[in-house]
Amino acid sequence: MTLPILKLPFLVFQMILESMGFIELFIFTRLSNKMKRIVKSRVKVKNFKMRVFFEENFGLRISNENHMEMFVVDVLEKYKPEDDGFPLKLGNADGIISGFYFSEDCEDLFVTFWNDLMAGFREFIDEAMEIFPCPIESITIDNVGQHCEELVRWASSLTIERVSLTGGEFGVRHLQAFNVSSIKLYDASLSDQDIHDFFDALSNGRSNTNMKECQILFVRDDFNLDFIMRGLNVVWEENEDLVWPDNQTIEIYHLTLSNGETGTIKHSIIEVEIPNGPDREYLTFDVEIVRREVNQ
Amino acid sequence: MSVENAPVVDVDEAAIPVEKKMYYRFESNDKKEFRVSELAIQQSETLNRLVEAMGYTSEDVENKPAIAIENIDGKTLKLVFQWCEHHKGEAIPVDDGSVPKIVEIPEFDAKLMDIDNGLLFKLIWAADYLNIVQLLNVSCKKVANMAQGKTPAQLRRVYLLPSDEEDEAAKRAAQEAQDPRAREVEEEFEERKRQGGNSFF
């Protein structure tokens, strides 16, 4: 039986829209241009944040402490006919096979399937960010190979709190593209020269001027610390207690930036939990900068 | 309907305090009468203000005519007052500002709203008109939940939502109703275009 919601008082109709989940709202915007206008202008998402993932597929998670939903852009080969998908118009593309799913944690998922993952990402992200303009908490880009340039260019144009990158394809210029407060780079392939250049630009205020913490994790274990720290305004902290059980020393350098702000560079070994795999040891550089509060 | 025969919605006798409880009598637009406790009425901002303004005593309630609620029928009003009696004494919820809204539907409310969509539609109207914040929250949530797992075609059918073409046709019809000459001018313009004319004037 039907329930003609447009015949309810408009504020009640608005309340119904505000009570819907993100996935239902997104489908609503596909119904007509008028419905899209109404959702965009009357449903102002509040108290939610986005997390964006580029891994083997593309994910956009919108959540707060009470609620979580996720949109996924995947390749068409992953779609199974028994999944009861339906065609959807998305951006300039029509007839995109889409469907409702649940994650292992019973999280509501809405998946669209595309011939070309990057084309799907471009169409979907523009629509989603237009409809749900909420703050982006973090972006994770893992092992995206040839797409890293396009994704970094797109992501670095946004206001984000944290960025996590994985893969040898990421270089110093990619780290420097993000003026965010926190950056992590896993499986880094940066050379000693690259690390030095990154620290040097950071110290002299030529890049990452908002960065408060940065962690770079390497698989390799040979570093020329004298070369990396050459010319930087650092003081090595001599402390015999900072020794790991297997005699790997933690090195701590106190750093003073050219603008007078201070921080530390820590070089050590950490053990990282790998999902569905054994824990892994990484040699890391951890940078922490104490930024001065800017009075508004 | 006489006062004696008026349906009294779910009253928990054991919970009645020693002092005499104040009840009010309301009448729906189809002449069904209800006795509702003062505490339950507080869930409705509209009714609460109304009874405060009337300043009835217990004797007034019995001797004067029931308060008429002219745009709500008895079937709907019975649900409304059942809800108010069940939730009497509960604080009126304050919106935490989250959008989408996080609303849990309690078991009692879910059973109460296990009704056909026509009656649910009237219940939402009544909750809005009587300004019963939490009943409006849960009934809107119930309608919002109907959208879960629905394709665009199914949403159109459930909520009777028009497509772009239907919106356009409705807009044209509304314009024509306002100005019948507009259609004639448009047809004349199309005809001239077909004949190869460059200018209408």
Side-chain angles (χ1 to χ4, degrees), chain B residues 56-193:
Chain B
Y56 274 13
T57 63
S58 300
E59 289 72 33
D60 290 336
V61 170
E62 299 304 330
N63 297 330
K64 292 188 176 179
I67 301 165
I69 302 179
E70 288 178 353
N71 42 10
I72 303 176
D73 64 30
K75 207 171 169 185
T76 311
L77 210 49
K78 183 179 176 188
L79 289 174
V80 169
F81 288 142
Q82 275 179 341
W83 188 92
C84 290
E85 288 290 355
H86 185 83
H87 291 281
K88 67 188 171 193
E90 292 178 10
I92 308 295
V94 179
D95 194 343
D96 73 348
S98 292
V99 176
K101 292 174 185 292
I102 308 297
V103 178
E104 293 289 329
I105 303 180
E107 198 181 337
F108 175 86
D109 297 13
K111 279 186 185 165
L112 185 93
M113 292 189 294
D114 189 12
I115 49 182
D116 66 65
N117 285 348
L119 188 52
L120 180 60
F121 185 87
K122 289 181 184 176
L123 182 67
I124 295 171
W125 260 104
D128 182 48
Y129 175 70
L130 299 174
N131 205 351
I132 306 173
V133 175
Q134 185 59 1
L135 178 57
L136 192 57
N137 284 343
V138 292
S139 54
C140 283
K141 183 64 180 175
K142 160 108 180 171
V143 176
N145 285 349
M146 288 178 186
Q148 284 177 352
K150 297 262 189 321
T151 67
Q154 290 166 333
L155 286 179
R156 275 188 219 291
R157 280 198 294 277
V158 171
Y159 294 127
L160 292 183
L161 295 169
S163 62
D164 281 335
E165 293 73 27
E166 288 164 330
D167 275 336
E168 199 54 44
K171 194 175 159 190
R172 271 201 307 273
Q175 279 171 350
E176 281 169 25
Q178 212 170 21
D179 180 10
R181 174 74 184 133
R183 179 77 181 168
E184 289 168 29
V185 170
E186 196 179 316
E187 279 172 3
E188 211 174 320
F189 178 69
E190 289 300 324
E191 181 57 31
R192 278 173 185 253
K193 251 185 16 182

Side-chain angles (χ1 to χ4, degrees), chain A residues 45-75:
Chain A
V45 176
K46 281 182 215 151
N47 296 345
F48 280 86
K49 284 187 175 180
M50 278 185 185
R51 289 183 188 182
V52 181
F53 304 87
F54 299 93
E55 293 157 338
E56 61 181 41
N57 51 26
F58 159 66
L60 174 68
R61 175 176 287 148
I62 310 181
S63 64
N64 67 9
E65 61 276 14
N66 301 313
H67 187 77
M68 184 188 293
E69 291 179 52
M70 188 157 174
F71 295 87
V72 176
V73 172
D74 215 331
V75 287

Side-chain angles (χ1 to χ4, degrees), chain A residues 119-136:
Chain A
F121 153 69
R122 286 182 213 111
E123 295 289 359
F124 179 80
I125 197 70
D126 286 348
E127 291 277 326
M129 294 185 79
E130 185 187 358
I131 299 162
F132 307 125
C134 43
I136 302 174

Side-chain angles (χ1 to χ4, degrees), chain B residues 23-41:
Chain B
Y23 280 82
Y24 289 90
R25 290 164 48 225
F26 294 95
E27 189 179 80
S28 62
N29 62 4
D30 50 359
K31 305 297 175 198
K32 302 263 171 46
E33 197 174 298
F34 300 88
R35 286 166 65 87
V36 187
S37 69
E38 187 179 24
L39 201 54
I41 287 167

